[in-house]
Amino acid sequence: MGAVSFPPPEIRENVPLAPLTTMGIGGPARFFIEAREERAVAGALAFAEERRAPVFVLGGGSNILVADEGFPGLVIRMAIAGVTESADPRSPALARWTAGAGEGWDGLVRRAVECGLAGIECLSGIPGTVGGTPIQNVGAYGQQVAGVITAVRVWDREARRAVELDHAGCRFSYRQSVFNTTARDRYVVLSVSYSLTRGGAPALEYADLRKFFPGCDHAPGLAEVRAAVLAIRARKGMVIEPGDPDCRSAGSFFKNPVVAGSDCEAMAQAAGGPVPSYPVAGDASRVKVPAAWLIEQAGFRKGYGRGPAAISGKHALALVNRGGASAADVIALMREIQAGVRDRFGVDLLPEPQFIGFRENPSADSADSTD
Ligand code: NAP
């Protein structure tokens, strides 16, 4: 006999996705599987290939907006768990932790800090799973996962087998990797290996973070830096706290634009004063400009909104679902903000979340001018 008529029993049908996302928005997945082991991932992908169904791999649901119609293909909810430690052949001072892609990211950071392992403490409080971290080379407050990732084990959908990419193979750059650029959709992340430094000092590079320790008579430890990052993020509504409506978001909704120095001067003229900007490592001609500042200067204050979709009351960069918002409401607000910033500063803000199940990608009409 030819094609499979019924999905295998572990694959469910018409599963609501909204409860699996931090925005709490979106319709159902046509097919859905919770994959706890590599074999399940491979089987689910074979099923989707046979049906020619599109595939989406869901982690913590913290950086996506699902269409009101839902997703017409197979959603694989990545649930591969487990953390193992091995020696790092490069130095006894390094510990290599390999974590299943479905492990919660912040739980891993907490455990690393508790074990006195440095390298990811500034990445505290970031929602989502381990598997999502290499994709956009998650970074914050001066650290990025590319600094500690030694290998990523993936399922290669072209070769139909598991392979391991070393650090160079991941081609990391600012918020980018092979996974969200040249090989988008080719690999499913199964586990990630991080090399952490035993007894290492915490990174204290960002002013926001240093401000937390004024006149401190000792160098803060890993746990203190983690606590400081969590406090800074909580102030911005960027730590998920059940019941806080400002947390019903997809984190930062827009990328921080990277612009030419000359464009920054034009922006300063439009603003009638200096524009905050930061250097881009390895690129003296361009600077990073905080998107939140542009949004507020364009007239969109924290809490702005005309309906159930609004700007967070704590951070202008987050769009929140105040209750009952549809994906269409969020897209309308996104477009309004983009148009306002473009009119005022001539800059296109690119959305950061992934759009799932939309017939037309809502970000497709934006110029690719940011990181
Ligand atoms: P923020 O701290 O005000 O940062 C806004 C922009 O200014 C970012 O591009 C940041 O660069 C840059 N910046 C701030 N201080 C800097 C310094 N001392 N040196 C160099 N660059 C500096 O904005 P936020 O939106 O509240 O974000 C907080 C942190 O979380 C930032 O580090 C941000 O990048 C990070 N974040 C990461 C992701 C992600 O990985 N996808 C998503 C949201 C936020 P950097 O981006 O290089 O830090």
Side-chain angles (χ1 to χ4, degrees), residues 136 139 141 174-175 206 236 252 256 278 288 315 317 352:
Q136 54 164 318
Y141 304 108
Y174 183 66
R175 304 288 179 268
Y206 271 33
K236 297 181 178 184
S252 302
N256 291 311
Y278 299 93
K288 291 178 279 185
H315 196 11
L317 208 45
E352 179 166 297

Side-chain angles (χ1 to χ4, degrees), residues 63 126 136-144 174-175 205-208 210 232-233 236 238 251-252 254 256-258 277-280 288-292 315 317 352 371:
N63 197 32
I126 294 177
Q136 54 164 318
N137 182 14
V138 163
Y141 304 108
Q143 282 179 334
Q144 51 182 8
Y174 183 66
R175 304 288 179 268
E205 285 173 29
Y206 271 33
D208 250 11
R210 278 201 301 263
I232 294 168
R233 292 186 65 94
K236 297 181 178 184
M238 292 290 183
S252 302
F254 298 100
N256 291 311
V258 177
S277 65
Y278 299 93
V280 176
K288 291 178 279 185
V289 177
H315 196 11
L317 208 45
E352 179 166 297
D371 58 89

Side-chain angles (χ1 to χ4, degrees), residues 25-363:
I25 289 175
R30 173 75 185 86
F31 299 109
F32 179 94
I33 183 170
E34 184 138 320
R36 297 180 190 282
E37 48 188 14
E38 291 187 18
R39 223 176 24 181
V41 174
L45 288 169
F47 165 78
E49 202 176 319
E50 194 178 64
R51 296 244 176 179
R52 293 176 197 220
V55 173
F56 174 66
V57 181
L58 175 68
S62 56
N63 197 32
I64 60 172
L65 179 65
V66 178
D68 296 316
E69 297 74 31
F71 183 69
L74 170 72
V75 169
I76 300 177
R77 189 183 196 200
M78 181 51 70
I80 298 176
V83 182
T84 56
E85 180 172 332
S86 58
D88 188 313
R90 293 172 302 170
S91 162
L94 298 172
R96 185 168 295 180
W97 277 19
T98 298
E103 281 288 334
W105 171 252
D106 191 53
L108 189 79
V109 177
R110 181 179 42 75
R111 284 165 70 178
V113 166
E114 281 167 7
C115 293
L117 296 173
I120 49 177
E121 62 282 352
C122 293
L123 307 179
S124 292
I126 294 177
T129 51
V130 160
T133 59
I135 293 178
Q136 54 164 318
N137 182 14
V138 163
Y141 304 108
Q143 282 179 334
Q144 51 182 8
V145 287
V148 290
I149 288 180
T150 51
V152 180
R153 185 174 165 82
V154 295
W155 184 266
D156 182 343
R157 296 177 64 190
E158 275 178 23
R160 297 192 186 87
R161 65 189 171 93
V163 292
E164 191 162 282
L165 300 184
D166 63 9
H167 183 275
C170 295
R171 305 231 189 97
F172 289 120
S173 59
Y174 183 66
R175 304 288 179 268
Q176 282 190 346
S177 70
V178 72
F179 309 111
N180 65 1
T181 56
T182 49
R184 192 186 282 269
D185 293 335
R186 174 170 171 182
Y187 299 120
V188 176
V189 176
L190 300 169
S191 67
V192 185
S193 298
Y194 307 89
S195 235
L196 306 170
T197 306
R198 295 180 205 282
L204 256 187
E205 285 173 29
Y206 271 33
D208 250 11
L209 201 49
R210 278 201 301 263
K211 266 193 267 170
F212 232 83
F213 304 100
C216 194
D217 57 357
H218 66 284
L222 292 172
E224 286 164 283
V225 169
R226 171 171 163 78
V229 170
L230 287 174
I232 294 168
R233 292 186 65 94
R235 257 188 343 227
K236 297 181 178 184
M238 292 290 183
V239 177
I240 305 274
E241 300 206 16
D244 179 350
D246 278 328
C247 295
R248 224 181 293 148
S249 79
S252 302
F253 203 89
F254 298 100
K255 298 182 186 186
N256 291 311
V258 177
V259 301
S262 51
D263 289 343
C264 196
E265 281 157 30
M267 287 159 71
Q269 280 200 340
V275 172
S277 65
Y278 299 93
V280 176
D283 185 350
S285 67
R286 300 196 302 159
V287 291
K288 291 178 279 185
V289 177
W293 186 87
L294 295 171
I295 291 168
E296 293 204 63
Q297 291 295 311
F300 301 100
R301 298 279 159 210
K302 296 186 185 90
Y304 173 88
R306 297 183 192 189
I311 293 176
S312 158
K314 297 197 177 84
H315 196 11
L317 208 45
L319 303 191
V320 297
N321 171 9
R322 289 203 279 215
S326 65
D329 294 330
V330 176
I331 298 298
L333 179 61
M334 171 189 93
R335 294 222 158 100
E336 186 184 347
I337 294 168
Q338 284 174 318
V341 170
R342 197 178 302 124
D343 286 351
R344 180 85 203 271
F345 295 107
V347 174
D348 282 309
L349 286 186
L350 292 188
E352 179 166 297
Q354 262 187 287
F355 294 103
I356 309 305
F358 290 82
R359 273 192 211 103
E360 280 171 39
N361 185 347
S363 64

